[in-house]
Amino acid sequence: MVWSGQWVADRLGVGLAGDPELTDMLGLALRRNKKRAHLLVSNVLGKHVPQRPGTVHGAGLRLGERVRELLGDEAAARAVVLGYAETATGLGHSVADGLALAPYLHSTRRPVTGVDPAGGFEESHSHATSHLLLPEDRALLSGDGPLVLVDDEFSTGNTVLNTISALHVRFPRERYVIVALVDMRSAEDRGRLDAFAAELGARVDLIASAAGTVRLPDDVLARGQALVEQHEAAAARAATAAGGASATAAGGTTAVGAVSGGPDDGAAGSATFAAAGGADSGATGRAAVAAAAAGGALGAGEGVFCLDGPRGAATSGAADRRAPVAGAFAPAAAEGRGSARPGATGSDESAMARPMARPPARPRAERVDLRWPDGLPDGGRHGFTPEHRAALEAALPGMARRIADALRAGPDGSGGGAARPGATASGAATARPQPAPEAAPRALVLGFEELMYAPLRIAQALEAELGGRAEVRFSTTTRSPVLAVDDPGYAIRTRLSFPAHDDPADGPGDRYAYNVAGAGFEAVVAVVDSAADTPALHAPGGLLDRLAAHTGRVLLAVVPSHVPEAQPEPQVPPMPTLSEPLRGPAFSSYAPDEVGWLLQDFSGVELEAPTEEREEAIQRGGAHYAESLPVEYQPSAQYQELFRAALDTSAARIARAVGTVTETVLAERSPSPVLVSLARAGTPVGVLMRRWAQHAHGLDLPHYAISIVRGRGIDTTALRWLAERHDPADAVFVDGWTGKGAITRELAEALGDFPGFDPEIAVLADPGGCVRTYGTREDFLIPSACLNSTVSGLISRTVLRADLVGPDQFHGAKFYRELADADVSGFFLDTVAARFDEVADDVAVDVKELLAADRTPTWEGWAAVERISGEYGIHDVNLVKPGVGETTRVLLRRVPWRILARRGAGADLDHVRLLADQRGVPVEEVDGLPYTCVGLIHPRYTRGATGTDGKAVSAQ
């Protein structure tokens, strides 16, 4: 059999390596996506490829049983299973079934009126990223038992890490279990998960059905996008050329199909069309046959024409041409119920040869009352308990029986089709032989986006009810746009496109059903929740209308959407009016229009202590690093001269990075962004970005500085202030540089409760490979890292202490007015801005290249940090500070032990060598360092050093 990933593999060089069952479980397809062009298409998930429901449910069930074995019954009973919308909602349910003792919750992209989110997170590679958590019972997330996170694939691990990070801050627990059908991480990503678990201080296990990696050529994104564009353009041209004839065959609807062609077909190939497919239907087969098959009523005993297309059950994705089946399910009736359609004689050839007197009528969708149990949730959007599971199990046979009876009976309930096996309409036994297994009728139970589990279990029960007398398959509709190509070596053979029909919060858009058209289904049972049973579902061109073009019967089963009981409104005092931002010259040496500080002024509070004393205090009492300040470093005359020399050397380099990151923000994020710098390292960069926008475009961008504290999160009062005055979608968070990416993760976690804000940080330099929006990924000296407050508007690091910061108050900082004579903040800004014109042409080239490049965060450097931690006996990655900027901070603020410098590093490290000499710290040159330098905090203070929560970490 042809592997359903061969088409993509031949054209793009993408391949799977790992467990032998991977190619049975996964195919490959292409999609229009700026972040990842290829798509791993699961053959056992029940999303894109119709599959036997027992196979789909069984895959999750077995994973859940393995989790229960891993945890033991006592821990399993305290666990909570969390699945991901939209593809893994059914898989997560099935894992919870295998676990048996645990409740289930899945994320959702559908806000529910009256239900406040308990959290949220981002899925970086998806076309639709924001996930909400809407448990009816908040205690579902607040327990201390294991959290089992279920996704269909574990590729980079970003989605799961974002989730754990966001939840661990609010609901910390000691154990997490990640479950996936396939683990496709690279070696680097595997190491990153281990480092993340160590940093988190929790155990993280992973269970998968199969493991491997995806081999991706360096240029796969660009080539994949070009291939998608090529095939979409070819399909559009073919549709235009054949539109008139297809429209007539389809009853007035233009049909556009997928592009077909062999593996060596470099051109688009010949286009094939399916009736009523719509501009993106991607349906296969012969247009005239499709039109006839989807057309008028069938008489009793008449066959249903079927299209060439994928069966869906075969994991290879090979096409299956099925013969008509006589008396399989009762035929549909449309206009002139019970009469044969014009020109139909029982074979596709003769139907094509006879002209149609009128467009064929579509079979109307027939409602089936499931008699869904009162009070039973439709799924895990708001939580699904073991008691709910038992109630569903008891109700499934009856629901399946009602669907089976409707399939056997005629649309008017008259039993116009085949009687129930073994009985006539009057109940007498019948000797009519059943169809041979190879001629068994085929029915598809089609779920709806996140509503996967209820349709899956209904399909499984229907399969049991019908026994071996019919083939039942299961799949669901989806938001995800994927290219359809009619080739046995491609996983998505056909695509039906239709408008969203559940009034989505993010506005109207297309939805899709894959591998349904052309699959030879005699009946399709569409299962939706009541929120999706709207006029758009039933309208011409809607889902039911699209399905009717490709099957003889369409049944509609509606599951009541669970609406959580209204929770009493908490009695809270009215929110006080939030303070206005502080501005210079009253607070900071920056001009008032350069930046507004969303902070309190703590200038009169004694907060400083010598560095060693701070470490000892943290060690003794578990104090948080943000509760005090180090004594502000007073640069010597020699060091100030070094700063000026470094600035003169690197000003053009910094100006180029400023221009590049600013232009990237304007092109990708917002034409009128609100700059929100992370105080204080991000603030000089934010001021420079504002100056570039003003210089290059005449834009007067708002700029605010906001506090973020490792382990405590971002200043939520400041976020509320921003949301009240600006569109959160316009906010762009700005920082100076990345090291290991701790603040990047912290921000993603902190914004979980603030939908609308984009957690993607824009930085001047990204040597850690942690973000998509940056000016450069080189690790070089940014002179603002050489100094503390004297290059940052004379503002201290931010402070968060319970006795100083109350509810609805900003975090605080100090304004060191007494250091005005040493202040070079304005000098730094003016020196860099003076080079803007000089670098403008280089910026234009850089931006063009960046916008076309794959800038997916690589998180490179993590392996080096872990290796260094082990080699030097530190055993805590938080004591390893990579990059020039972070190393400088170690020398200025912490208790440094030694400095590792890349062999041959030049002037970029002059200031590091000077500071190290002043503090008596050795500088050791090493090979194979991905950063220019790395600072190590003294192991003597390991117990007092701050970890990911900002508190002391234990000595190893």
Side-chain angles (χ1 to χ4, degrees):
M1 277 187 178
V2 179
W3 173 44
S4 62
Q6 197 61 52
W7 192 92
V8 174
D10 289 342
R11 286 158 178 77
L12 297 183
V14 177
L16 304 183
D19 293 341
E21 58 266 36
L22 279 178
T23 52
D24 289 332
M25 297 179 68
L26 297 174
L28 294 173
L30 299 177
R31 59 182 176 177
R32 182 178 288 278
N33 186 301
K34 293 188 299 182
K35 303 174 183 177
R36 197 167 77 175
H38 72 283
L39 178 69
L40 299 178
V41 180
S42 173
N43 292 312
V44 297
L45 184 63
K47 175 56 72 172
H48 301 88
V49 178
Q51 179 59 273
R52 292 180 62 95
T55 299
V56 177
H57 187 232
L61 200 69
R62 288 187 292 274
L63 286 168
E65 291 168 347
R66 290 173 59 188
V67 174
R68 182 171 178 174
E69 182 180 354
L70 172 71
L71 295 177
D73 286 355
E74 187 276 330
R78 296 187 298 110
V80 175
V81 182
L82 176 63
Y84 288 88
E86 67 174 45
T87 54
T89 59
L91 177 64
H93 258 295
S94 302
V95 169
D97 286 352
L99 204 60
L101 306 173
Y104 175 66
L105 177 74
H106 69 68
S107 67
T108 181
R109 295 190 176 101
R110 180 197 287 180
V112 178
T113 303
V115 182
D116 294 328
F121 51 91
E122 293 294 311
E123 183 178 7
S124 58
H125 67 266
S126 175
H127 68 285
T129 58
S130 296
H131 291 249
L132 300 174
L133 297 177
L134 304 177
E136 183 171 12
D137 180 4
R138 294 296 181 99
L140 203 63
L141 290 175
S142 60
D144 59 0
L147 182 64
V148 181
L149 303 104
V150 184
D151 208 354
D152 55 314
E153 66 176 83
F154 196 48
S155 49
T156 63
N158 288 341
T159 301
V160 171
L161 298 189
N162 285 344
T163 310
I164 294 176
S165 296
L167 292 177
H168 194 78
V169 172
R170 300 189 61 194
F171 312 111
R173 56 188 78 226
E174 296 179 353
R175 191 167 190 182
Y176 297 88
V177 181
I178 300 167
V179 179
L181 288 171
V182 291
D183 175 10
M184 304 300 289
R185 290 172 299 154
S186 65
E188 181 180 0
D189 287 327
R190 292 173 191 273
R192 187 158 62 91
L193 177 63
D194 295 339
F196 174 81
E199 189 173 351
L200 198 69
R203 176 174 173 178
V204 181
D205 295 291
L206 188 141
I207 291 177
S209 299
T213 57
V214 184
R215 295 192 302 269
L216 297 174
D218 292 339
D219 60 347
V220 66
L221 180 61
R223 290 171 57 202
Q225 290 172 336
L227 197 56
V228 170
E229 292 174 0
Q230 171 191 344
H231 281 268
E232 287 180 344
R237 288 194 300 270
T240 301
S246 298
T248 302
T253 303
T254 302
V256 180
V259 180
S260 61
D264 299 322
D265 193 1
S270 60
T272 56
F273 307 99
D280 291 313
S281 72
T284 63
R286 300 175 180 84
V289 179
L298 305 177
E302 182 179 348
V304 177
F305 298 119
C306 52
L307 305 168
D308 288 348
R311 293 189 58 180
T315 58
S316 68
D320 172 47
R321 180 175 296 172
R322 298 182 55 82
V325 179
F329 294 131
E335 297 177 15
R337 182 165 47 207
S339 62
R341 73 183 165 278
T345 62
S347 70
D348 50 0
E349 288 81 7
S350 57
M352 290 176 65
R354 195 171 295 191
M356 294 185 179
R358 60 179 175 81
R362 304 267 181 87
R364 291 189 297 267
E366 311 154 37
R367 286 187 180 271
V368 178
D369 184 1
L370 292 174
R371 301 179 195 172
W372 188 265
D374 291 340
L376 179 64
D378 53 299
R381 181 178 286 114
H382 305 297
F384 200 87
T385 66
E387 291 74 25
H388 292 144
R389 189 177 302 119
L392 177 62
E393 293 290 344
L396 281 172
M399 289 190 279
R401 191 177 311 113
R402 284 181 275 280
I403 294 174
D405 288 344
L407 288 171
R408 298 176 184 122
D412 58 359
S414 62
R420 291 187 65 181
T424 65
S426 62
T430 176
R432 182 171 61 82
Q434 296 300 314
E438 62 270 20
R442 307 185 80 223
L444 173 71
V445 176
L446 184 67
F448 157 64
E449 296 185 28
E450 294 177 9
L451 186 71
M452 293 186 70
Y453 182 69
L456 168 63
R457 299 308 312 283
I458 289 170
Q460 196 173 11
L462 180 63
E463 185 178 46
E465 170 69 18
L466 295 174
R469 295 174 291 274
E471 291 184 14
V472 178
R473 297 292 180 265
F474 166 76
S475 64
T476 72
T477 63
T478 178
R479 286 170 161 252
S480 179
V482 186
L483 177 72
V485 177
D486 185 20
D487 188 280
Y490 189 81
I492 302 295
R493 300 288 299 278
T494 67
R495 177 171 83 173
L496 291 179
S497 174
F498 52 91
H501 52 87
D502 63 337
D503 191 23
D506 56 353
D510 286 340
R511 301 295 186 263
Y512 309 93
Y514 295 110
N515 293 324
V516 175
F521 291 115
E522 283 83 0
V524 176
V525 182
V527 182
V528 304
D529 59 23
S530 55
D533 186 15
T534 63
L537 174 68
H538 301 264
L543 172 61
L544 299 180
D545 184 52
R546 289 285 189 254
L547 292 174
H550 300 285
T551 185
R553 296 280 300 280
V554 179
L555 275 61
L556 174 64
V558 179
V559 177
S561 298
H562 179 62
V563 179
E565 295 183 6
Q567 301 295 319
E569 290 292 330
Q571 298 299 313
V572 296
M575 184 177 297
T577 302
L578 299 179
S579 303
E580 289 302 304
L582 302 173
R583 296 184 182 273
F587 187 84
S588 90
S589 62
Y590 290 134
D593 61 338
E594 298 269 32
V595 59
W597 301 84
L598 298 180
L599 295 169
Q600 297 185 73
D601 187 352
F602 287 169
S603 299
V605 182
E606 187 65 36
L607 293 168
E608 293 82 6
T611 302
E612 288 79 1
E613 290 183 16
R614 291 181 70 242
E615 297 282 1
E616 292 293 347
I618 293 171
Q619 176 181 336
R620 288 196 307 268
H624 194 282
Y625 79 91
E627 294 173 353
S628 62
L629 292 173
V631 174
E632 190 70 11
Y633 172 71
Q634 299 294 312
S636 65
Q638 182 184 8
Y639 191 84
Q640 292 185 51
E641 183 58 36
L642 183 62
F643 163 79
R644 292 174 181 272
L647 178 58
D648 183 63
T649 301
S650 61
R653 198 175 181 184
I654 297 169
R656 181 173 176 176
V658 167
T660 300
V661 70
T662 308
E663 294 293 343
T664 303
V665 165
L666 294 173
E668 290 189 332
R669 300 286 291 275
S670 171
S672 54
V674 176
L675 302 177
V676 184
S677 60
L678 303 181
R680 71 185 166 184
T683 305
V685 179
V687 175
L688 284 169
M689 290 177 66
R690 183 180 183 277
R691 287 194 180 188
W692 177 279
Q694 197 167 43
H695 178 83
H697 303 285
L699 297 175
D700 188 14
L701 300 182
H703 174 213
Y704 305 99
I706 191 172
S707 169
I708 186 169
V709 176
R710 193 176 74 235
R712 299 280 180 88
I714 202 163
D715 187 338
T716 57
T717 302
L719 282 181
R720 291 204 315 272
W721 190 95
L722 288 168
E724 288 177 4
R725 291 159 177 81
H726 300 280
D727 184 349
D730 288 333
V732 176
F733 294 94
V734 176
D735 207 359
W737 57 85
T738 63
K740 297 190 297 289
I743 291 299
T744 304
R745 293 190 297 273
E746 188 78 43
L747 182 64
E749 298 165 8
L751 293 178
D753 291 334
F754 291 87
F757 286 100
D758 187 339
E760 178 72 34
I761 302 179
V763 299
L764 194 64
D766 181 36
C770 305
V771 299
R772 292 187 69 256
T773 309
Y774 53 83
T776 179
R777 276 188 167 159
E778 295 179 10
D779 183 20
F780 71 99
L781 171 61
I782 300 172
S784 60
C786 292
L787 302 172
N788 283 332
S789 66
T790 52
V791 77
S792 303
L794 297 180
I795 300 301
S796 73
R797 219 197 51 239
T798 59
V799 174
L800 176 60
R801 209 169 77 186
D803 61 326
L804 297 175
V805 180
D808 305 311
Q809 291 183 325
F810 296 139
H811 296 185
K814 299 185 74 167
F815 176 24
Y816 292 118
R817 298 170 177 85
E818 64 275 18
L819 299 181
D821 290 344
D823 185 27
V824 291
S825 303
F827 173 70
F828 170 71
L829 298 174
D830 294 342
T831 303
V832 174
R835 312 297 284 272
F836 283 171
D837 287 334
E838 173 187 330
V839 301
D841 290 343
D842 290 331
V843 167
V845 173
D846 291 346
V847 172
K848 183 177 180 180
E849 292 177 353
L850 276 178
L851 293 178
D854 179 6
R855 288 170 285 135
T856 303
T858 61
W859 300 90
E860 64 183 356
W862 260 105
V865 168
E866 290 181 312
R867 175 177 56 79
I868 292 167
S869 176
E871 287 180 357
Y872 286 84
I874 298 175
H875 304 299
D876 186 342
V877 293
N878 293 295
L879 304 180
V880 180
K881 302 297 183 181
V884 177
E886 292 303 308
T887 300
T888 303
R889 287 181 168 188
V890 169
L891 289 164
L892 291 177
R893 304 179 187 172
R894 304 301 293 274
V895 183
W897 180 37
R898 66 179 67 189
I899 304 301
L900 307 183
R902 182 194 297 157
R903 194 176 305 280
D908 280 345
L909 292 188
D910 284 351
H911 78 292
V912 169
R913 295 186 182 95
L914 176 61
L915 282 173
D917 181 65
Q918 290 176 348
R919 299 202 63 179
V921 177
V923 177
E924 178 181 337
E925 289 198 344
V926 296
D927 295 314
L929 202 61
Y931 298 92
T932 303
C933 62
V934 175
L936 306 182
I937 295 174
H938 203 298
R940 173 184 174 185
Y941 295 96
T942 295
R943 290 179 57 235
T946 54
T948 55
D949 61 354
K951 296 184 178 181
V953 294
S954 299
Q956 302 294 319

